[in-house]
Amino acid sequence: MNKTVEFFKTQIGKEITQSPSPVGIWLKPILLQVEEGSLKAEFTVRPEMTNPAGMLHGGMIALISDEMIGATIATLDLPDFFPSVNLYTDFLNGAKLGENIRAEAEIIRRGKTIINTECRIYNSDNKLIAKSTSNSIKSKGK
Amino acid sequence: MNKTVEFFKTQIGKEITQSPSPVGIWLKPILLQVEEGSLKAEFTVRPEMTNPAGMLHGGMIALISDEMIGATIATLDLPDFFPSVNLYTDFLNGAKLGENIRAEAEIIRRGKTIINTECRIYNSDNKLIAKSTSNSIKSKGK
Amino acid sequence: MNKTVEFFKTQIGKEITQSPSPVGIWLKPILLQVEEGSLKAEFTVRPEMTNPAGMLHGGMIALISDEMIGATIATLDLPDFFPSVNLYTDFLNGAKLGENIRAEAEIIRRGKTIINTECRIYNSDNKLIAKSTSNSIKSKGK
Amino acid sequence: MNKTVEFFKTQIGKEITQSPSPVGIWLKPILLQVEEGSLKAEFTVRPEMTNPAGMLHGGMIALISDEMIGATIATLDLPDFFPSVNLYTDFLNGAKLGENIRAEAEIIRRGKTIINTECRIYNSDNKLIAKSTSNSIKSKGK
């Protein structure tokens, strides 16, 4: 188990309040599970995350996906930074204001230069809300 | 000129503080230009929008794209709601904390059921930060 | 079991030479497995499917994905035609000229208007070559 | 003008029968215009390119996009090979069997490692059939 995974494991069940990612703090995730290359976390749909229909905004789903993907790459404990090249999201179902949603991300392919990662997000009825995929590229230094 | 465009035009140059979209308010856009089917707005990169490298977070770029796309569809003043089916974003350059960025969205194809929209975002050096595309589908009632 | 699945099951192990899809015939698939909402088939990388590096062309991977997705929707035996709204493909590994590859497609979400489908393609070493996702929309009449 | 663009210019108006890309030959393009970083070509919808509705198959649109993107990167005359990382296509209109379609590709961002390219395809009524975007990554040696 690498040092990042080891640290993440101490955070399971707690709301993340300390993170190098300001977006990560803003989203107020609760970590559910972590392994090298996979991550599960819970989020609550807050008012500022909703669309005019009172549902979780599609862009917020993309934001949560991208943050989960970045954090999952972090579990690999690599010396380099891996910014996203692209992000693709399908919106499949909704989540309401106040609802708890669960995001599950995993590395699909770990290349030397490109890492491909997928994130699936479920609502409180365990319906798949969204499926995202992203490619991240090795960038010198963190 | 339809009523939505007419109203949007009264908001040019002001920060949006009233909107049916809570995400729209949270992003604090300043509307620059509006026509039926196209929209330009400015955003400032705030601390809670950044990644661990202190740059605008990719997911925030996707969020801004999706909000711009929704608002651009709103300029068509249609009776129905058009939720996003999917969102695709390429990340091409960065923007720093405090930087003003400009988002430009336009309808690419206005079908009866599916509307295809593109959003391009530029940093303060006028470099293309990101290019997003989305399909939205007609849903009964607003 | 619906009539389309029933017919597809009679074709398992044979090269498809009769199909309403001319692309389907051109690709010369061998059907491996079929259920309502999922499909597995094998393809051989022919010379006209390769890129300048002598590997299966990325666009051919997209073509195979789209054909598999259409055929998987056909297994639902619905009265309507479902043309693709969009197609997204990640290229993860390669396949050589002459190699047999295996494509596996399944319905992710079966909505009334939009069907979301995924296709994964493996090379002869069972490495994931590509992962595609697509949204298809109900269109009146077949 | 680099050597690749120079050669491509001698091919304008002719059907491509010699190419390092077997897919490129199979598609039988007629080159219309070429500059460093942009390319226009014409294709005819042949029977083996159609779907069950007798229209140009979505996967063929993706194939044409990917081939155009590869050829547009070739116009940069770079020493390295740039395989596609991903390909995204929106399907916006149709083209019939026998119809001549026009594909226009251009480099959106030319990075040291990643090149982002867009391709737009028009039918004979000059309607936008499809819009594709792709990221390609520098790979050692051609």
Side-chain angles (χ1 to χ4, degrees):
Chain A
M1 201 192 304
N2 67 51
K3 281 186 184 292
T4 301
V5 171
E6 213 171 293
F7 172 74
F8 274 24
K9 282 198 184 283
T10 68
Q11 302 301 304
I12 288 176
K14 301 175 193 168
E15 189 192 301
I16 303 301
T17 55
Q18 302 277 331
S19 162
S21 169
V23 163
I25 294 170
W26 186 82
L27 287 171
K28 298 185 191 294
I30 293 174
L31 202 56
L32 301 176
Q33 203 177 302
V34 58
E35 300 300 335
E36 196 174 302
S38 73
L39 203 64
K40 295 187 190 182
E42 197 178 76
F43 300 81
T44 302
V45 181
R46 304 198 307 263
E48 64 270 29
M49 295 176 174
T50 58
N51 67 16
M55 304 294 286
L56 179 58
H57 191 286
M60 282 290 165
I61 290 172
L63 175 65
I64 290 169
S65 299
D66 198 52
E67 179 61 19
M68 285 293 293
I69 285 166
T72 302
I73 292 173
T75 68
L76 300 178
D77 204 35
L78 299 169
D80 298 290
F81 183 58
F82 278 79
S84 300
V85 171
N86 73 309
L87 178 69
Y88 175 79
T89 303
D90 281 318
F91 304 108
L92 304 168
N93 273 295
K96 284 193 274 280
L97 175 60
E99 196 165 340
N100 289 333
I101 60 170
R102 193 177 79 255
E104 305 188 356
E106 59 166 334
I107 306 293
I108 298 295
R109 180 179 179 269
R110 180 179 171 171
K112 265 174 269 175
T113 312
I114 296 276
I115 296 177
N116 184 271
T117 313
E118 184 178 295
C119 181
R120 293 182 180 225
I121 305 181
Y122 300 85
N123 67 14
S124 57
D125 293 334
N126 222 23
K127 274 194 179 172
L128 186 61
I129 294 176
K131 194 161 70 83
S132 297
T133 182
S134 177
N135 293 290
S136 304
I137 186 165
K138 187 164 82 171
S139 175
K140 276 163 239 139
K142 246 179 182 157
Chain B
M1 201 193 305
N2 68 51
K3 280 184 185 295
T4 301
V5 172
E6 213 171 291
F7 172 73
F8 274 25
K9 282 198 184 284
T10 68
Q11 302 302 304
I12 288 175
K14 300 175 193 167
E15 189 191 300
I16 302 301
T17 55
Q18 301 276 331
S19 162
S21 169
V23 164
I25 294 170
W26 186 83
L27 287 171
K28 298 185 191 291
I30 293 173
L31 200 58
L32 300 176
Q33 204 178 303
V34 58
E35 300 300 336
E36 196 174 302
S38 74
L39 203 65
K40 296 187 189 179
E42 198 178 77
F43 299 81
T44 302
V45 180
R46 303 198 307 263
E48 64 270 30
M49 295 177 175
T50 57
N51 66 17
M55 303 294 285
L56 179 57
H57 191 286
M60 282 289 166
I61 291 172
L63 175 64
I64 290 170
S65 298
D66 198 52
E67 178 61 18
M68 284 294 293
I69 285 166
T72 302
I73 293 173
T75 68
L76 301 178
D77 203 35
L78 300 169
D80 298 291
F81 184 57
F82 278 79
S84 299
V85 172
N86 72 311
L87 178 69
Y88 175 79
T89 302
D90 281 319
F91 304 108
L92 304 167
N93 274 294
K96 284 194 275 278
L97 176 60
E99 195 165 341
N100 290 332
I101 61 170
R102 192 178 78 256
E104 304 187 358
E106 58 165 335
I107 306 293
I108 298 295
R109 179 177 179 270
R110 180 179 170 172
K112 266 174 270 177
T113 311
I114 295 277
I115 295 177
N116 184 271
T117 313
E118 183 177 297
C119 182
R120 293 183 181 226
I121 304 181
Y122 300 87
N123 67 15
S124 57
D125 293 334
N126 221 22
K127 273 195 181 171
L128 186 61
I129 295 175
K131 193 159 70 82
S132 298
T133 184
S134 178
N135 293 290
S136 305
I137 187 167
K138 187 164 82 170
S139 175
K140 277 164 240 142
K142 245 178 180 157
Chain C
M1 202 192 306
N2 68 51
K3 281 185 184 292
T4 302
V5 172
E6 213 171 291
F7 172 73
F8 274 25
K9 282 198 185 284
T10 68
Q11 303 302 304
I12 288 176
K14 302 175 193 169
E15 189 192 301
I16 303 300
T17 55
Q18 301 277 330
S19 162
S21 169
V23 163
I25 294 170
W26 186 83
L27 288 171
K28 298 185 192 291
I30 293 174
L31 201 57
L32 300 177
Q33 203 178 304
V34 58
E35 300 300 337
E36 195 175 302
S38 74
L39 204 65
K40 295 187 190 182
E42 198 177 77
F43 300 81
T44 302
V45 180
R46 304 198 307 264
E48 63 270 29
M49 295 177 175
T50 58
N51 67 17
M55 303 294 285
L56 178 58
H57 193 286
M60 281 290 166
I61 291 173
L63 175 65
I64 290 170
S65 298
D66 199 52
E67 179 61 17
M68 284 294 293
I69 284 167
T72 302
I73 292 173
T75 68
L76 301 178
D77 203 35
L78 299 170
D80 299 291
F81 184 58
F82 278 79
S84 299
V85 171
N86 72 310
L87 178 70
Y88 175 78
T89 302
D90 281 319
F91 304 108
L92 305 167
N93 274 294
K96 284 192 276 278
L97 176 61
E99 195 165 340
N100 289 333
I101 61 170
R102 191 178 80 256
E104 305 188 355
E106 59 165 335
I107 306 292
I108 298 294
R109 179 177 179 271
R110 179 180 172 171
K112 266 174 270 176
T113 312
I114 296 278
I115 295 176
N116 184 271
T117 313
E118 185 177 296
C119 181
R120 293 182 181 226
I121 305 181
Y122 300 86
N123 66 16
S124 58
D125 293 333
N126 221 22
K127 274 194 180 173
L128 185 61
I129 294 176
K131 193 160 71 82
S132 298
T133 182
S134 177
N135 293 290
S136 305
I137 187 166
K138 187 165 82 170
S139 176
K140 278 164 238 140
K142 245 177 180 159
Chain D
M1 202 192 305
N2 68 51
K3 282 185 185 293
T4 301
V5 172
E6 213 171 293
F7 172 73
F8 274 24
K9 281 196 186 286
T10 68
Q11 302 302 304
I12 288 176
K14 302 175 193 168
E15 189 191 301
I16 303 301
T17 55
Q18 300 277 331
S19 163
S21 170
V23 163
I25 293 170
W26 186 83
L27 287 171
K28 299 185 190 293
I30 294 174
L31 201 57
L32 301 176
Q33 203 178 304
V34 59
E35 299 301 335
E36 196 174 302
S38 74
L39 204 64
K40 296 186 190 181
E42 198 177 76
F43 299 81
T44 302
V45 180
R46 303 197 309 262
E48 64 271 29
M49 295 177 175
T50 58
N51 66 18
M55 304 294 286
L56 178 58
H57 192 287
M60 281 289 167
I61 291 173
L63 174 65
I64 290 170
S65 297
D66 199 52
E67 178 62 18
M68 284 293 293
I69 285 166
T72 302
I73 293 172
T75 68
L76 300 178
D77 203 34
L78 299 169
D80 298 290
F81 184 57
F82 278 78
S84 300
V85 172
N86 72 311
L87 177 70
Y88 175 78
T89 303
D90 281 318
F91 304 107
L92 304 167
N93 273 294
K96 285 192 275 279
L97 175 60
E99 196 166 340
N100 289 332
I101 60 169
R102 192 177 80 254
E104 305 188 356
E106 59 166 334
I107 306 293
I108 298 294
R109 179 177 179 272
R110 179 178 170 171
K112 265 173 269 178
T113 312
I114 296 277
I115 295 177
N116 183 271
T117 313
E118 184 177 295
C119 182
R120 294 182 181 226
I121 305 180
Y122 299 86
N123 67 14
S124 58
D125 293 334
N126 221 23
K127 273 194 181 172
L128 186 61
I129 294 176
K131 192 160 71 82
S132 297
T133 183
S134 177
N135 294 290
S136 305
I137 186 166
K138 188 165 83 170
S139 175
K140 276 164 241 140
K142 244 178 182 156

